[in-house]
Amino acid sequence: AMNNKETLEAFLSIILKESDRLQSLISDLLELSKIEQQGFRLNLQEFDLHSLLEEVITILTGKAAAKNIHIDFYCKLDHVLIEGDMDRLKQVFINLIGNAITYTPPKGDVKIILQENGEHVRINVLDYGVGIEKDEIPRIFERFYRVDRARTRNSGGTGLGLAIVKHLVEAHHGNI
């Protein structure tokens, strides 16, 4: 293949893609390990969740635009102040909204709804993608669990994102 430029480039492309996948997997494993450690602590501070969600949507706009997916963000309030680890919650929402974009067909919609209810907030991330069978839902937060291996093989995911999300949400005394 070294003497055939097209074959060489194809092999190098595969090597790069697989190296990136392995790097992502190692990074997610380290992150999950860190979160599960006994001394794991959140960096709690008060911040505006509305602004954080707007920032996450901005980050993911390019990914959505590539599939011609429209993202709608609904919130009756301009500011929703909460106490939490802003960076960790940003990680949670990048994962959840990113998944919604990944599994929504082209020209689809993703909706994010932020509601404040007394001392609690609720964030819904809705998509109109392929969906998950009801009996599969309890397992989606397991490490490496794939709802449909053929569907997720090409998604670029490591199978650890939702496990990380669950740990971070529970560390904030929330549920998902």
Side-chain angles (χ1 to χ4, degrees), residues 54-124:
E54 284 181 333
E55 185 180 334
V56 168
I57 291 166
T58 300
I59 290 168
L60 295 171
T61 295
K63 181 177 181 174
K67 290 178 68 178
N68 200 18
I69 290 174
H70 182 72
I71 301 175
D72 289 313
F73 177 40
Y74 300 99
C75 183
K76 292 181 181 178
L77 304 169
D78 290 334
H79 302 285
V80 177
L81 296 177
I82 67 165
E83 187 172 293
D85 188 322
M86 187 168 67
D87 293 328
R88 295 299 189 166
L89 288 175
K90 185 176 188 179
Q91 180 181 5
V92 164
F93 296 121
I94 286 173
N95 186 291
L96 293 175
I97 297 168
N99 280 357
I101 293 167
T102 297
Y103 296 109
T104 293
K107 299 181 182 175
D109 293 306
V110 171
K111 293 184 170 108
I112 296 102
I113 303 167
L114 170 58
Q115 298 170 308
E116 188 176 37
N117 185 11
E119 292 184 15
H120 301 281
V121 294
R122 180 182 182 107
I123 302 98
N124 293 322

